[in-house]
């Protein structure tokens, strides 16, 4: 890896079991936690179509976008207006649409409070093509994510299907994001520094834009988009499952220059809400390099069960939704 460049990995080589590619995947995600992914088989045109539909949505009048605002959804689905989300307690300067699996609302269960996250999406009536484009993208990206998970398992000496059962009924999440230029918030952040709470993230930023930065050896390194390539990072659950051998890395997004904007498509592949990733029994030569796992990126407890981490993250990021629908959950000690 050059000093200011993320490495690239070819998924087709991983699928073929190429030992050099598997070794590179293990090395990169032990040391950096971020890389470009090529050879995944998703045509760039699919991303272009979704970005075009996203631009059509964000160009709607504000009152039309707010017809599906997430404060109408106890499941944290729908539109978040500029300044409506927070990272590390500071305002993020972006607007976005949160889309999850198409499901009916789950019955409330005090023993499984994360069930409040399961429910229907909100779709914009003014851009009907967005629904199909988004769901197709999620299906394709989810398939790529599962191929990666099998490669990670193999690279660590486990059976390729080691993680499969935890993803039998996964919790995928797609954020369709627009970053306006100029940094119109006192925080100066598009998104503040953080780690992702789930298993892995497949990010497709709009080609020709900039803003993503990755923390490498204490420095912030730019990660510019490459047309046709995903930018991949692992989440805290994979770090937990490998006792810190794999690294969930801090990253942030800067606002684009004044007079421009940026569309970004982060897709998060996560296990089922009730699931914990099975630990990987590392070879002793790898286990000695495992760093252990401490707190989450907010200084709180990192839970093995994905649903607790997901719910804690949403309550922090969207306090307006939390206050409206989930005041009782804010009092639970495990969600602080």
């Amino acid at each position: 890896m050059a000093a200011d460049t993320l490495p690239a990995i070819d998924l087709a080589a991983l699928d073929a079991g190429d030992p050099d590619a598997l070794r590179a995947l293990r090395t990169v995600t032990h040391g950096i936690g971020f890389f470009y992914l090529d050879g995944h088989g998703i045509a760039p045109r699919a991303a272009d179509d979704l970005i075009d539909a996203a631009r059509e949505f964000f160009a709607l009048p504000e009152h039309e976008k707010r017809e599906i605002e997430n404060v109408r959804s106890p499941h944290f689905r729908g539109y978040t207006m500029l300044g409506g989300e927070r990272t590390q307690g500071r305002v993020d300067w972006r607007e976005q649409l949160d889309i999850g699996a198409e499901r009916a609302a789950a019955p409330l269960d005090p023993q499984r409070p994360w069930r409040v996250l399961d429910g229907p999406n909100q779709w914009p009536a003014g851009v009907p093509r967005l629904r199909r484009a988004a769901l197709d993208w999620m299906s394709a990206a989810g398939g790529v994510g599962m191929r990666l998970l099998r490669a990670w398992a193999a690279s660590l000496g486990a059976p390729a299907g080691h993680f499969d059962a935890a993803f039998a009924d996964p919790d995928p999440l797609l954020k369709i994001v627009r970053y306006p230029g100029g940094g119109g918030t006192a925080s100066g952040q598009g998104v503040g520094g953080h780690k992702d709470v789930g298993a892995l993230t497949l990010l497709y930023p709009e080609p020709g834009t900039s803003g993503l930065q990755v923390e490498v050896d204490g420095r912030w390194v730019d990660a510019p988009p490459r047309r046709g390539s995903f930018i991949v990072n692992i989440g805290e659950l994979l770090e937990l499952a490998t006792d810190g051998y794999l690294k969930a890395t801090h990253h942030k997004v800067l606002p684009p220059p004044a007079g421009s904007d940026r569309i970004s498509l982060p897709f998060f592949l996560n296990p089922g809400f009730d699931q914990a990733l099975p630990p990987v029994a590392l070879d002793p030569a790898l286990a000695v390099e495992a760093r252990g796992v401490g707190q989450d990126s907010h200084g709180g407890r990192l839970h093995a069960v994905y649903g607790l981490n997901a719910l804690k993250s949403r309550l922090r990021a969207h306090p307006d939704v939390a206050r409206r629908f989930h005041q009782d959950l804010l009092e639970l000690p495990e969600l602080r």
Side-chain angles (χ1 to χ4, degrees):
M1 171 182 164
D4 294 307
T5 306
L6 295 183
I9 290 177
D10 187 273
L11 184 55
L14 295 176
D15 288 340
D18 181 280
D20 290 335
L22 290 170
R23 188 179 307 111
L25 176 68
R26 186 181 69 233
T27 300
V28 164
T29 46
H30 171 64
I32 304 167
F34 264 84
F35 58 92
Y36 293 103
L37 183 69
D38 302 318
H40 48 74
I42 301 178
R45 185 63 208 169
D48 296 341
D49 289 345
L50 183 52
I51 289 171
D52 287 347
R55 287 203 168 277
E56 186 178 347
F57 169 71
F58 290 121
L60 292 173
E62 189 70 16
H63 74 273
E64 289 191 39
K65 291 185 286 188
R66 296 189 69 171
E67 288 176 356
I68 59 167
E69 193 172 3
N70 67 349
V71 293
R72 302 172 184 266
S73 168
H75 319 294
F76 296 83
R77 306 290 179 85
Y79 173 67
T80 302
M81 62 188 294
L82 281 171
E85 186 171 18
R86 286 163 173 75
T87 301
Q88 301 290 4
R90 302 172 69 197
V91 172
D92 294 329
W93 198 239
R94 63 178 179 174
E95 56 179 333
Q96 67 187 33
L97 190 61
D98 279 47
I99 301 164
E102 288 275 62
R103 297 175 178 143
L108 296 181
D109 183 346
Q111 302 304 312
R112 300 154 75 200
W114 52 83
R115 294 295 296 271
V116 301
L117 299 177
D118 234 347
N121 293 302
Q122 298 191 87
W123 299 103
V127 190
R129 69 186 178 113
L130 181 62
R131 182 180 186 276
R132 185 73 270 152
L135 293 177
D136 286 349
W137 183 261
M138 292 175 71
S139 177
V144 169
M146 290 305 303
R147 291 158 64 192
L148 264 176
L149 283 167
R150 293 176 183 128
W152 261 309
S155 77
L156 295 167
H162 180 77
F163 298 116
D164 283 7
F167 290 85
D169 187 20
D171 171 49
L173 176 66
L174 172 65
K175 289 179 178 285
I176 300 176
V177 184
R178 174 181 172 267
Y179 296 96
T185 172
S187 71
Q189 65 187 31
V191 174
H194 66 286
K195 300 178 183 180
D196 292 342
V197 301
L200 68 94
T201 303
L202 295 166
L203 172 67
Y204 194 92
E206 186 173 16
T209 64
S210 62
L212 176 65
Q213 292 189 324
V214 177
E215 188 178 37
V216 179
D217 296 330
R219 300 178 300 112
W220 288 108
V221 173
D222 291 327
R226 301 191 337 183
R227 178 169 168 77
S229 298
F230 284 109
I231 299 174
V232 180
N233 65 282
I234 73 166
E236 291 172 321
L237 289 184
L238 271 177
E239 186 176 278
L240 186 63
T242 60
D243 193 32
Y245 181 84
L246 296 185
K247 182 178 182 180
T249 301
H250 281 97
H251 53 288
K252 65 181 180 179
V253 180
L254 302 177
S260 66
D261 66 357
R262 177 184 194 240
I263 301 296
S264 188
L265 305 174
F267 171 79
F268 307 89
L269 181 60
N270 304 305
F273 286 120
D274 299 341
Q275 298 295 319
L277 294 191
V280 178
L282 296 172
D283 181 273
L286 302 180
V288 297
E289 298 183 10
R291 292 162 285 223
V293 178
Q295 297 176 315
D296 67 16
S297 61
H298 295 267
R301 180 183 173 190
L302 182 59
H303 300 280
V305 174
Y306 166 66
L308 277 173
N309 294 317
L311 180 55
K312 182 172 60 175
S313 176
R314 308 284 174 83
L315 293 171
R316 285 171 173 164
H318 299 283
D320 48 355
V321 179
R323 286 191 300 268
R324 181 171 184 180
F325 294 106
H326 306 301
Q327 192 68 42
D328 57 327
L329 298 180
L330 296 174
E331 306 304 319
L332 295 178
E334 62 268 35
L335 295 175
R336 293 176 184 168

